[in-house]
Amino acid sequence: MAKSKFEYVRNFELDDTCLRNCYIVVRLDGRNLHKFSDQHNFTKPNDDRALGLMSRSACSVMEELDDITIAYGQSDEFSFVFKRSTNWFKRRASKLMTHVTSQFSSSFVFYWKEYFGEQPLLYPPSFDGRVVLYPSNRNVRDYLSWRQADCHINNLYNTAFWTLVQKGGLTTTQAEERLNGTLATDKNEILFSEFNINYNNESSVYKKGTTLIWEKVNETTTKQIKRPNEEETEVTVTRTRKKVTSHSCDVIGDQFWDEHPDILESEQC
Ligand code: DGT
Ligand code: MG
Ligand code: MG
């Protein structure tokens, strides 16, 4: 078929193929979640409904899109790591990034009611996305460690800050001044000695964030079976299937990676 004279405009498209042999990480982050969380009365510093909805949306991304082996989320962000050998969408960065962010955003709206019940969603939320390539397993682990360290630092600060405000009666300015220049040990000490809060006992979802991976799980179902000339009997069937499972554990040390050796691929490629 003859090409139209407009065909040349295709040549303006840039090649954004991700380099081979690299892990492709897509990180998304809520746009102006500060305002969104205020307007939707999120509890401070952590809102279980919001964190649950973020994880549910990330789970939908893993289930609907191919080749994501691990996702890690905290606050209003989630990172998705694609297999280093993925050829999904010919490794085109813009396709991968936009599919992840749009699947996540639509899921966030779709599942809103499951987490917020009758509380209305006041306006459409949006998420930005970026793609980063990491050539080695060590780089991917360090990337996830970086996000988890960020989660820990922010959560300790936010826990101390909102405890000073909510339980200590300080204004937000006073709480900010009180925490200015303090180290982690100081914040732990303020929580413990002034408010009898042992930070170690805080929920691990808050302290460690949420890690989603694929795991084989056994699912048992019972069925009533009726054969000709026999009494109806109950049969139990156990099937193994791959499912996205959620963990709030340390991903900085070796234990998690030793227990899940299939998440990262072998280095010889
Ligand atoms: P951005 O990302 O530059 O468009 O701006 P923000 O406002 O999204 O800022 P960001 O991403 O650095 O920080 C996340 C905000 O989301 C932060 O203001 C606290 C809020 N947020 C996230 N999770 C929760 C939560 O569970 N409860 C409450 N109250 N706020 C949360
Ligand atoms: Mg944000
Ligand atoms: Mg953020």
Side-chain angles (χ1 to χ4, degrees):
M1 209 197 289
K3 288 184 175 179
S4 81
K5 68 172 181 175
F6 309 116
E7 194 77 15
Y8 79 95
V9 295
R10 267 176 160 265
N11 298 327
F12 282 64
E13 285 184 25
L14 295 175
D15 177 13
D16 64 349
T17 310
C18 294
L19 190 68
R20 285 164 66 89
N21 291 353
C22 290
Y23 289 98
I24 302 169
V25 175
V26 176
R27 180 165 82 252
L28 52 79
D29 184 285
R31 174 161 182 252
N32 212 348
L33 241 287
H34 183 73
K35 177 181 142 209
F36 186 89
S37 58
D38 279 349
Q39 297 210 341
H40 291 86
N41 301 317
F42 284 12
T43 53
K44 294 172 192 301
N46 293 293
D47 187 300
D48 288 326
R49 299 164 304 172
L51 294 174
L53 179 56
M54 289 289 291
S55 295
R56 181 66 192 86
S57 307
C59 188
S60 154
V61 170
M62 287 183 72
E63 283 166 350
E64 299 299 329
L65 311 183
D66 292 344
D67 287 353
I68 296 168
T69 55
I70 181 168
Y72 174 77
Q74 52 117 350
S75 182
D76 68 338
E77 67 169 60
F78 242 98
S79 299
F80 300 87
V81 182
F82 285 84
K83 265 165 57 176
R84 99 192 311 178
S85 59
T86 188
N87 207 24
W88 200 55
F89 278 106
K90 298 195 175 132
R91 298 177 71 85
R92 286 178 59 185
S94 53
K95 290 266 188 183
L96 296 166
M97 183 178 70
T98 52
H99 271 303
V100 168
T101 44
S102 68
Q103 181 71 35
F104 189 94
S105 304
S106 63
S107 300
F108 193 92
V109 173
F110 189 80
Y111 293 112
W112 173 267
K113 261 192 156 189
E114 272 184 29
Y115 293 84
F116 285 88
E118 291 310 308
Q119 183 179 328
L121 179 59
L122 299 175
Y123 60 90
S126 74
F127 294 83
D128 70 41
R130 73 191 72 188
V131 171
V132 193
L133 303 182
Y134 291 109
S136 70
N137 290 3
R138 187 73 254 168
N139 291 152
V140 173
R141 282 189 52 177
D142 286 348
Y143 170 79
L144 294 168
S145 301
W146 173 51
R147 297 325 302 145
Q148 189 165 64
D150 190 79
C151 173
H152 165 70
I153 292 163
N154 289 337
N155 190 58
L156 178 56
Y157 181 91
N158 291 338
T159 305
F161 180 89
W162 288 109
T163 303
L164 286 167
V165 173
Q166 291 162 351
K167 297 197 172 134
L170 267 59
T171 64
T172 49
T173 314
Q174 287 169 333
E176 203 175 317
E177 279 166 8
R178 179 78 204 280
L179 294 178
N180 197 8
T182 54
L183 304 173
T185 46
D186 304 322
K187 294 182 191 79
N188 274 305
E189 188 54 30
I190 290 172
L191 286 169
F192 193 67
S193 58
E194 295 179 31
F195 301 98
N196 205 19
I197 294 172
N198 184 343
Y199 183 74
N200 289 333
N201 297 339
E202 291 290 294
S203 157
S204 57
V205 181
Y206 305 160
K207 289 184 298 183
K208 303 281 182 201
T210 302
T211 303
L212 303 177
I213 54 173
W214 287 102
E215 279 188 300
K216 285 195 180 120
V217 289
N218 289 332
E219 275 185 351
T220 307
T221 46
T222 43
K223 277 191 210 159
Q224 303 290 336
I225 291 195
K226 170 91 179 76
R227 294 198 179 90
N229 308 323
E230 278 181 31
E231 291 277 295
E232 194 174 72
T233 49
E234 198 172 80
V235 181
T236 305
V237 186
T238 301
R239 282 206 191 92
T240 306
R241 71 176 190 102
K242 272 180 86 185
K243 226 179 143 186
V244 176
T245 58
S246 173
H247 307 258
S248 288
C249 60
D250 177 80
V251 295
I252 297 175
D254 289 333
Q255 191 184 341
F256 173 79
W257 301 99
D258 291 343
E259 286 171 5
H260 304 285
D262 299 336
I263 296 172
L264 300 177
E265 288 158 70
S266 111
E267 294 276 28
Q268 299 103 35
C269 64

